[in-house]
Amino acid sequence: MDDEALATVARLLDEAVLPYIVIGAHAVNAWLEPRFTADVDVTVEADVSGLERLRNVLARAGYAATAEHGGKLPSGPDFVRFTSPDGMLTLEIQTAKTAFQREAIPRGLAVGAALRVATPEDLIVFKLIANRPKDQIDLQGLVTLPDLDWSYVERWARERSVLAELERLRPRQ
């Protein structure tokens, strides 16, 4: 995905006026050697009306909602997938419903195409929770980054019940 497409995503997210961070491979690519990814994974802090505002912004730009999970929840959906008008970009929106997600969002940093991406520490926790094969590959690189705040990572790994996995991956000092 080119920088122009990512800049468009950043502009649309900013237009919706919702706090957010990119948490998927595009966030990992900000910190490590880039790998291919076909989608942009984003966590937003949004109530039902905020998510509706995002839907409207994306609809005006031609994006279509193609999948949704938890739409009938009082707090709104947990996840909504949007597809760009040309079908080339998938934007996967996850709403922040945990204390960890809500804390990670304001910690995000603007990198590259002005997208706010998760810090390496938060990415480690997100990847430990998801624990898919591609997350394991990302984790192998993320845990080797210098100057990580290990006490922060350990706190959330313990809270999210993934501390044992972190200990297995964490390099020994």
Side-chain angles (χ1 to χ4, degrees):
M1 183 172 313
D2 64 22
D3 287 343
E4 185 178 326
L6 293 174
T8 298
V9 169
R11 181 183 55 75
L12 293 170
L13 289 165
D14 289 343
E15 188 178 328
V17 193
L18 293 175
Y20 76 89
I21 53 171
V22 175
I23 61 167
H26 283 291
V28 173
N29 289 350
W31 307 110
L32 298 174
E33 182 70 28
R35 70 168 168 86
F36 173 77
T37 183
D39 60 3
V40 180
D41 302 300
V42 179
T43 297
V44 298
E45 187 157 347
D47 57 14
V48 174
S49 65
L51 194 53
E52 189 60 30
R53 189 170 59 248
L54 178 59
R55 281 180 195 273
N56 292 336
V57 166
L58 292 171
R60 283 193 303 274
Y63 282 74
T66 56
E68 183 174 306
H69 299 285
K72 303 233 186 280
L73 294 171
S75 60
D78 295 327
F79 169 86
V80 183
R81 177 179 295 131
F82 295 92
T83 304
S84 65
D86 62 6
M88 299 299 291
L89 179 97
T90 302
L91 185 57
E92 298 195 340
I93 303 293
Q94 181 181 98
T95 54
K97 294 194 175 182
T98 69
F100 167 65
Q101 291 169 314
R102 287 188 295 274
E103 186 170 327
I105 289 172
R107 290 170 41 86
L109 303 168
V111 176
L115 280 170
R116 291 186 52 78
V117 302
T119 65
E121 291 87 352
D122 290 315
L123 282 171
I124 289 169
V125 178
F126 278 115
K127 296 290 183 175
L128 285 167
I129 293 166
N131 201 29
R132 301 163 298 183
K134 61 185 171 183
D135 298 311
Q136 290 296 315
I137 293 167
D138 291 340
L139 280 163
Q140 289 172 11
L142 289 167
V143 299
T144 65
L145 291 171
D147 303 320
L148 292 171
D149 181 349
W150 285 109
S151 62
Y152 176 86
V153 175
E154 288 169 0
R155 175 173 63 98
W156 282 113
R158 185 175 298 107
E159 175 76 23
R160 302 297 301 171
S161 301
V162 292
L163 186 59
E165 183 63 18
L166 174 64
E167 291 302 323
R168 186 184 71 74
L169 289 167
R170 185 173 172 182
R172 299 292 170 225
Q173 303 288 353

